[in-house]
Amino acid sequence: MINLILFGPPGSGKGTQAAKLVEKYSLIHISTGDLFRFEMSNNTPLGQQAKAYMAKGELVPDSVTIGMLRNKVEAHPEARGFIFDGFPRTIPQAEALDALLLEKKTTVSGLIALNVSDEEIVQRIKLRGKTSGRPDDNDEDIIRNRITVYKNETSPVYDYYARNGKSHTVNGTGSLLAIFRRLCKIINGF
Ligand code: AMP
């Protein structure tokens, strides 16, 4: 089983690369951001809980996020592996993921961070905002807050997996294909 954490700041290309990787490696793609947006568009209780946090670019509380992730993983007992995109974003989320995978007698194969500069991220997200329709992509203060939250709350997850030698970084700039090849090179070594 391959269980990949695709890591990196908002706008670093995780979703785009995950779409290509799931095809090549026959994995299930789980994006917690997409799951929250789906819940919000259906106005479910979960969506309502997440809404205010997402609007500000803050993290949805761990208790809510971890429960949703667990449900999604358990909905795919047949999976050959997963790409976790946008999860884990805190140390408690990483610990919960490790425990969940251990229950399934598997483990995180590795974490790969896409490295992109802050200014490039802001430009990319603003561009994406023109078509994504996401309110959190259309306000520079919120975009910058998401980057700050990433640095303060999420980047420790990189160090958490680095302790077991599982964290990797690739250059997240260049052509789609060039970045894809960098990722595949690491995944092929899992
Ligand atoms: P994303 O699409 O990954 O950029 O996520 C959009 C927003 O959803 C984030 O700014 C958070 O408000 C929320 N979110 C997504 N994934 C998580 C997570 N793992 N933990 C907490 N909040 C999350």
Side-chain angles (χ1 to χ4, degrees):
M1 226 174 161
I2 292 178
N3 295 304
L4 168 68
I5 298 172
L6 202 49
F7 201 71
S12 57
K14 300 187 294 293
T16 308
Q17 291 296 332
K20 288 173 69 70
L21 292 168
V22 287
E23 264 185 52
K24 182 171 163 91
Y25 296 98
S26 305
L27 305 172
I28 304 281
H29 177 203
I30 301 184
S31 155
T32 42
D34 286 349
L35 292 175
F36 282 131
R37 280 183 288 277
F38 177 78
E39 298 289 336
M40 264 168 41
S41 68
N42 288 299
N43 204 21
T44 64
L46 184 58
Q48 287 166 7
Q49 271 179 294
K51 196 171 180 173
Y53 297 99
M54 293 178 75
K56 287 186 282 192
E58 300 288 337
L59 295 184
V60 179
D62 284 339
S63 55
V64 177
T65 308
I66 290 167
M68 179 177 74
L69 188 279
R70 170 181 277 274
N71 287 340
K72 189 73 184 172
V73 169
E74 293 191 332
H76 291 281
E78 82 298 346
R80 297 178 57 183
F82 294 93
I83 297 184
F84 299 99
D85 161 4
F87 185 95
R89 265 172 150 106
T90 62
I91 298 290
Q93 289 182 16
E95 289 169 347
L97 178 63
D98 286 351
L100 175 61
L101 294 179
L102 194 63
E103 268 178 41
K104 316 266 167 228
K105 307 220 175 338
T106 180
T107 183
V108 168
S109 314
L111 172 155
I112 312 180
L114 292 164
N115 190 18
V116 180
S117 75
D118 290 0
E119 285 322 302
E120 171 136 5
I121 286 167
V122 174
Q123 296 318 317
R124 283 189 192 183
I125 296 183
K126 279 180 160 174
L127 191 67
R128 180 173 76 184
K130 290 185 180 163
T131 52
S132 73
R134 286 175 54 175
D136 61 343
D137 281 353
N138 278 292
D139 178 317
E140 186 159 336
D141 288 343
I142 293 171
I143 296 171
R144 291 198 183 274
N145 189 41
R146 287 160 65 197
I147 296 172
T148 303
V149 168
Y150 173 79
K151 287 183 181 159
N152 293 343
E153 300 182 51
T154 302
S155 64
V157 172
Y158 184 94
D159 304 324
Y160 173 89
Y161 285 105
R163 288 189 322 213
N164 304 329
K166 289 186 177 178
S167 292
H168 310 261
T169 304
V170 302
N171 178 355
T173 59
S175 74
L176 243 163
L177 193 60
I179 300 166
F180 181 66
R181 289 203 179 113
R182 288 172 203 146
L183 291 169
C184 292
K185 209 169 152 191
I186 295 174
I187 295 168
N188 292 339
F190 285 167

